Amino acid sequence: MPIADKMVKMVESASMIRKMFEEGIRMREKYGADNVFDFSLGNPDVPPPAVVKETLLNLINNEAISHGYMPNPGYPHVRQAVADYLNKEYDVGLTSDLVVMTAGAAGALNDVLRALMNPGEDILVPAPYFVGYNQYAFVVGANLKTVASQSDFHLDLDAIQAAITEKTRVMLINSPNNPTGIVYNKAELLGLGKVLDAASEKFGKRIYLISDEPYRKISYGVDVPSVFDVYPHTIVLTSYSKELSLAGERIGYLAIHPKAEDAAMIAGAAGVANTMMYVNAPALFQQVVGQLQGVSVDIGIYKRRRDMFCEGLQAAGYEFDVPEGAFYLFPKSPIEDDIKFAGILQENNILAVPGTAFGGPGHFRLSYAVPDKTITGSFDGFKKAFDSVK
Ligand code: PLP
């Protein structure tokens, strides 16, 4: 094998996703773009707010713009802008040295896991979960250990408590969640904080909470509680990929609670981890987002699509809880085998990702980061697929 043995499995799972992407291209060529209903990707199609372009143009036309190297954790003034924003929102007392600018949320996850994980230690994650976590765990030689959530996808605190062992270093959560759209409430997060504190005490080893929050601003009339408030040993990370529709620009950050055990050391290690991958987050877009703290895309667009999609799918017979955040639906597959059902949807020109890919078998994921007409045009196909197995 010309590639490393340990890479073979990773390449296989990446090629499954690529296959779906290629399948979409093939189907569009064969049936015409208007007749293919592709809900497989969480790639925002809502344009960035106009102020993003204005800020970008102002920066480009300004002689003072910087293109050079910088401290690896990012421009000090941008880290300060992020710390000021988080302090205003959450009153957490962050200083800029506890903020590291990263290449998206993926860059932040890679940084913080490199900073914290020893090979062979466990990252605990509630299932279903975002597939990228497998890869981030792989690069640091850690085990991604999943814990089933409750049937409504809220945290199962008893199961989490039972899953923690002396090998657990990190609990990784994501709310609003990809793929389920669930938003964890304050009570369950406080409960989680207590479980992590007690387990850290029991095993004589600090367990850190990592909160992956790229969908924080995409919620529909519910509070997305601050994780900083529930457990001090927390690292929050996010990106501007979804909230400003800048996924391709690779910009995000991580922020460490000032009361986290060894906070400064973790920030230092995360900054060094940056140098192992991309040296520093993209300079131009650091300077853009530094000026746009608190700005987001029009969430009303996603809410309208969610409502439209839910109505159509319910009418066709599908079962699911209406998601409170992110831009995904995670309906039950009408047959047990979700991979088979994704195939049946595909026969009706609909592309969906089987829940099995996210550790949530018996479901399938639909992204509604797509134009309205893709949603409305798909309802006949969804109904036919449902009726064909009933
Ligand atoms: N975490 C979750 C839950 C995601 O859904 C994604 C992307 O879809 C990421 C992390 C990676 O985000 P980014 O593109 O900002 O690196």
Side-chain angles (χ1 to χ4, degrees), residues 104-106 109 130 133 174 178 212 214-215 239 241-242 250:
L109 279 156
F130 170 58
Y133 295 163
N174 162 230
N178 175 8
D212 176 21
Y215 303 95
S239 70
S241 299
K242 320 285 170 170
R250 313 307 307 135

Side-chain angles (χ1 to χ4, degrees), residues 42 103-109 129-130 133 136 174 176-179 212-215 237-242 246-248 250-252 327-328 365:
L109 279 156
Y129 65 93
F130 170 58
Y133 295 163
Y136 314 147
N174 162 230
N177 184 268
N178 175 8
D212 176 21
E213 305 188 353
Y215 303 95
L237 59 92
T238 187
S239 70
Y240 302 89
S241 299
K242 320 285 170 170
L246 292 176
R250 313 307 307 135
I251 187 73
F327 41 60
Y328 305 102
R365 190 194 77 170

Side-chain angles (χ1 to χ4, degrees), residues 81-125:
V82 170
D84 290 346
Y85 171 72
L86 292 175
N87 288 333
K88 189 165 84 165
E89 289 287 298
Y90 311 119
D91 193 19
V92 68
L94 259 175
T95 47
S96 61
D97 55 317
L98 297 178
V99 174
V100 177
M101 300 307 295
T102 62
L109 279 156
N110 274 284
D111 277 354
V112 74
L113 293 176
R114 277 167 205 252
L116 288 175
M117 302 302 300
N118 289 304
E121 286 183 324
D122 288 347
I123 303 165
L124 214 56
V125 66

Side-chain angles (χ1 to χ4, degrees), residues 41-332:
L41 279 184
N43 192 9
D45 70 313
V46 175
V51 67
V52 170
K53 195 169 175 185
E54 280 161 32
T55 311
L56 194 51
L57 287 173
N58 284 341
L59 273 165
I60 289 169
N61 291 323
N62 184 342
E63 296 294 306
I65 187 180
S66 165
H67 295 292
Y69 286 126
M70 67 191 77
N72 302 127
Y75 288 115
H77 76 277
V78 177
R79 296 162 75 200
Q80 188 62 55
V82 170
D84 290 346
Y85 171 72
L86 292 175
N87 288 333
K88 189 165 84 165
E89 289 287 298
Y90 311 119
D91 193 19
V92 68
L94 259 175
T95 47
S96 61
D97 55 317
L98 297 178
V99 174
V100 177
M101 300 307 295
T102 62
L109 279 156
N110 274 284
D111 277 354
V112 74
L113 293 176
R114 277 167 205 252
L116 288 175
M117 302 302 300
N118 289 304
E121 286 183 324
D122 288 347
I123 303 165
L124 214 56
V125 66
Y129 65 93
F130 170 58
V131 279
Y133 295 163
N134 289 313
Q135 284 149 5
Y136 314 147
F138 167 80
V139 287
V140 294
N143 310 309
L144 193 76
K145 184 170 171 183
T146 58
V147 190
S149 300
Q150 299 184 51
S151 58
D152 60 4
F153 302 125
H154 281 282
L155 296 172
D156 184 337
L157 295 179
D158 291 338
I160 290 172
Q161 186 172 19
I164 298 176
T165 68
E166 66 286 344
K167 279 171 60 185
T168 312
R169 164 63 74 193
V170 153
M171 174 88 215
L172 170 57
I173 58 170
N174 162 230
S175 168
N177 184 268
N178 175 8
T180 65
I182 189 87
V183 176
Y184 299 141
N185 60 43
K186 185 83 180 231
E188 69 195 301
L189 290 172
L190 280 168
L192 178 63
K194 284 197 183 125
V195 167
L196 296 182
D197 225 6
S200 300
E201 180 99 349
K202 177 174 167 191
F203 293 110
K205 164 180 177 180
R206 176 52 60 198
I207 299 171
Y208 289 92
L209 176 61
I210 299 180
S211 185
D212 176 21
E213 305 188 353
Y215 303 95
R216 164 166 283 278
K217 293 218 172 65
I218 306 177
S219 69
Y220 312 112
V222 292
D223 181 35
V224 183
S226 164
V227 176
F228 280 138
D229 285 351
V230 301
Y231 185 64
H233 310 287
T234 293
I235 296 104
V236 166
L237 59 92
T238 187
S239 70
Y240 302 89
S241 299
K242 320 285 170 170
E243 64 184 52
L244 287 180
S245 288
L246 292 176
E249 302 298 349
R250 313 307 307 135
I251 187 73
Y253 65 82
L254 63 89
I256 303 162
H257 195 302
K259 294 203 177 114
E261 213 167 285
D262 299 316
M265 206 189 279
I266 297 170
V272 171
N274 251 352
T275 68
M276 296 170 179
M277 292 177 288
Y278 44 81
V279 182
N280 56 254
L284 183 55
F285 271 84
Q286 279 195 55
Q287 294 170 86
V288 171
V289 300
Q291 296 184 37
L292 297 179
Q293 293 303 300
V295 179
S296 70
V297 293
D298 178 1
I299 307 302
I301 300 175
Y302 289 126
K303 180 170 184 308
R304 192 188 65 233
R305 290 175 180 170
R306 178 199 67 162
D307 293 345
M308 199 192 299
F309 215 171
C310 287
E311 206 181 306
L313 290 175
Q314 271 157 355
Y318 292 89
E319 276 179 50
F320 53 90
D321 289 328
V322 175
E324 295 174 326
F327 41 60
Y328 305 102
L329 281 163
F330 202 59
K332 281 196 184 114

